[in-house]
Amino acid sequence: MKLYLSADIEGTCGIAAWDETEKSKPEYAHFANQMSREVAAACEGANAAGTESILVRDAHDSARNILPGMLPENACIFRGWGREPYAMMSGLDDSFDGAMFTGYHSGAGWASSPLSHTMNLNIHGVWVNGEPCPELMMNCLTAAMLGVPTRLVTGDEGICSWFERYVPGAMTVPVSRGVGNGSISIHPDKAVRLIRDAAEQAMKLPKESCMFPLPEHFTVEVSYVRHESARRAGWYPGAEQTDDRTVRFSCDAWMDALTFFHFCL
């Protein structure tokens, strides 16, 4: 079996502030280590289920956060940005037997994380076919486009609960719960253990129970914090600016929506 794993940091166990996610800040080192532990745990669990090869995608900020030496030897790691529409899913193709997401977080404006956002802090909200679209939704749809099932999601309670509504047959591990501008987290060692066990179970699930639903048509809307960003995005071919801060784009192929996001988020 072959696994793809995309890792973010804001949904890592214990994180409660932006300084803990930024490489230049003193608090960062501890949480980069915990992020690496959680990724390694998912890899180890997948290996226990018979996975032969793993591609880990470091998908936060500079995409240079995970400590590669903490990963098992059958894992490769994609660091840095490919500068193409796959973004947090760079390196994914239809040869993978499953995708996992660790350290993922609630979407822009959600009360379930003090670090809720979608792609960047200039985004007020993203919707796909009228439904709120966090980063996880974008990436699950990319996996579904390629026929790859989403087997496991770890992160804050809000994003895990959101995912369970779409793919109830897959695995989740909520490691924290947002409370206003803070969060309540489980013990970091417990998070590592739960993630390892869930990843092992996840790789044994039937593919059909882990497929994220892929619509036949997409109407995507992006609302920006800054009105000038909407004006700029409104010039994207096929897009329309619907109010001072919002742009709409419609298409039949998810790859077209991804390309819109690539240039307009």
Side-chain angles (χ1 to χ4, degrees):
M1 291 190 291
K2 187 177 178 182
L3 172 67
Y4 184 92
L5 192 156
S6 176
D8 207 349
I9 201 171
E10 288 90 354
T12 296
C13 186
I15 282 186
W18 288 108
D19 282 2
E20 296 167 348
T21 73
E22 298 176 13
K23 193 181 286 285
S24 62
K25 301 299 174 63
E27 298 97 327
Y28 167 84
H30 169 80
F31 292 101
N33 183 73
Q34 180 64 19
M35 175 190 186
S36 302
R37 293 180 71 208
E38 293 179 14
V39 171
C43 292
E44 290 162 5
N47 285 343
T51 300
E52 296 174 347
S53 67
I54 303 169
L55 177 58
V56 172
R57 175 71 175 110
D58 192 324
H60 170 68
D61 197 25
S62 66
R64 295 181 290 111
N65 309 277
I66 298 165
L67 304 173
M70 295 178 67
L71 304 179
E73 291 188 7
N74 68 329
C76 296
I77 184 166
F78 191 134
R79 303 175 76 235
W81 292 100
R83 300 303 180 191
E84 30 74 18
Y86 277 35
M88 300 174 78
M89 302 296 282
S90 289
L92 182 69
D93 59 39
D94 61 5
S95 69
F96 288 88
D97 297 289
M100 294 185 183
F101 300 90
T102 62
Y104 268 63
H105 55 82
S106 296
W110 298 12
S112 44
S113 168
L115 304 182
S116 61
H117 69 282
T118 301
M119 301 308 286
N120 62 70
L121 298 183
N122 186 37
I123 303 301
H124 182 259
V126 179
W127 295 264
V128 171
N129 295 343
E131 297 293 325
C133 175
E135 293 168 17
L136 180 62
M137 184 179 197
M138 296 178 189
N139 298 338
C140 287
L141 286 169
T142 299
M145 173 183 73
L146 296 169
V148 177
T150 298
R151 297 183 175 275
L152 170 67
V153 171
T154 82
D156 66 59
E157 191 176 88
I159 199 64
C160 290
S161 297
W162 174 89
F163 175 72
E164 289 167 359
R165 295 198 299 271
Y166 284 87
V167 192
M171 303 293 295
T172 61
V173 180
V175 300
S176 64
R177 174 171 60 88
V179 182
N181 198 37
S183 70
I184 299 172
S185 298
I186 64 176
H187 192 283
D189 293 344
K190 182 178 181 179
V192 167
R193 185 177 73 253
L194 292 176
I195 289 169
R196 187 202 176 283
D197 292 347
E200 182 175 357
Q201 295 179 56
M203 290 306 291
K204 298 175 182 178
L205 295 172
K207 175 179 178 178
E208 301 75 33
S209 69
C210 300
M211 290 301 302
F212 196 88
L214 185 68
E216 295 182 355
H217 179 80
F218 303 92
T219 296
V220 301
E221 292 180 288
V222 179
S223 177
Y224 300 88
V225 173
R226 297 194 299 271
H227 60 83
E228 65 268 24
S229 298
R231 176 173 170 78
R232 179 181 183 277
W235 287 95
Y236 185 85
E240 61 172 325
Q241 185 173 355
T242 57
D243 62 33
D244 287 348
R245 294 190 303 157
T246 307
V247 171
R248 179 186 296 134
F249 177 76
S250 296
C251 58
D252 293 326
W254 178 244
M255 192 64 211
D256 292 337
L258 275 184
T259 304
F260 167 76
F261 289 144
H262 179 61
F263 288 99
C264 297
L265 288 182

